[in-house]
Amino acid sequence: MMRTPAASLIRGALRASRTTTMIPRAAASTHAISNPTLANIEKRWEGMPQTEQAELWMALRDRMKENWAELTLQEKKAAYWIAFGPHGPRAVPPPDEGRKVALYTAMGVFASFVIFATLRSFAGPSPSTMSREWQEASNEYLKNQRAEPLTGLSSEGYSGKGMIQSPPKH
């Protein structure tokens, strides 16, 4: 590495650009949160705007970073309720939720049956490969080709139906 004045200037500039500057942060709140702010928080929480909820939670969080003996009883109760209370995902479901789930499930099953029946009524005849004669011919072809000689149609003592799945024609 060269020790020229230009190299020293560049190294110094690089060193200066690498140093991190400390950005002052606001210290944690050391004063108690007012009682009117925390009063009746259980009933007001759901109706509060998101920003106000976040501000209150951040203020409580900052207070909890300090000595907990300095927290007021209201602050402790509010912090516990906000963290573990029955709101948001822990909210109690409405009393008729089970009935609604059953009703909408039954409606979905009924709608799918109607769609199935409608499509089935407009469908054409079954394909020729679904006839019993075709399936018996497929069994004979597979036996002649010695398909699946260990466990299938071509094996000794096979007693299954093979490819036959359609009922005989009347």
Side-chain angles (χ1 to χ4, degrees):
M1 183 134 112
M2 295 185 63
R3 299 281 182 195
T4 62
S8 297
L9 284 173
I10 292 172
R11 265 195 313 279
L14 283 174
R15 238 181 279 128
S17 68
R18 275 190 249 155
T19 58
T20 57
T21 56
M22 295 299 289
I23 300 170
R25 281 185 31 190
S29 176
T30 56
H31 63 281
I33 299 171
S34 66
N35 279 340
T37 305
L38 299 176
N40 214 1
I41 193 71
E42 299 87 8
K43 293 185 178 90
R44 293 185 309 119
W45 184 258
E46 289 291 327
M48 290 172 68
Q50 290 281 342
T51 54
E52 194 174 333
Q53 286 179 353
E55 288 173 7
L56 180 59
W57 176 243
M58 294 301 166
L60 282 169
R61 189 194 63 185
D62 290 343
R63 287 280 294 154
M64 288 187 292
K65 287 180 181 176
E66 303 296 322
N67 186 0
W68 278 46
E70 296 173 3
L71 290 175
T72 66
L73 183 61
Q74 283 281 83
E75 289 174 329
K76 290 176 186 176
K77 285 181 180 179
Y80 180 83
W81 193 86
I82 291 170
F84 303 108
H87 57 84
R90 292 180 300 276
V92 178
D96 64 339
E97 184 178 27
R99 189 168 16 106
K100 282 184 180 177
V101 168
L103 176 69
Y104 288 131
T105 302
M107 286 173 32
V109 168
F110 180 73
S112 63
F113 175 75
V114 167
I115 292 170
F116 172 76
T118 303
L119 290 175
R120 191 78 177 154
S121 68
F122 290 112
S126 59
S128 60
T129 57
M130 290 301 293
S131 68
R132 185 163 181 101
E133 294 79 23
W134 187 286
Q135 293 165 1
E136 287 173 351
S138 295
N139 277 351
E140 291 303 318
Y141 178 76
L142 290 173
K143 284 179 187 175
N144 291 338
Q145 294 293 318
R146 299 276 303 145
E148 292 190 61
L150 299 177
T151 60
L153 264 145
S154 304
S155 64
E156 293 180 26
Y158 180 75
S159 61
K161 296 188 299 182
M163 302 305 273
I164 298 175
Q165 56 183 338
S166 297
K169 286 188 177 177
H170 292 20

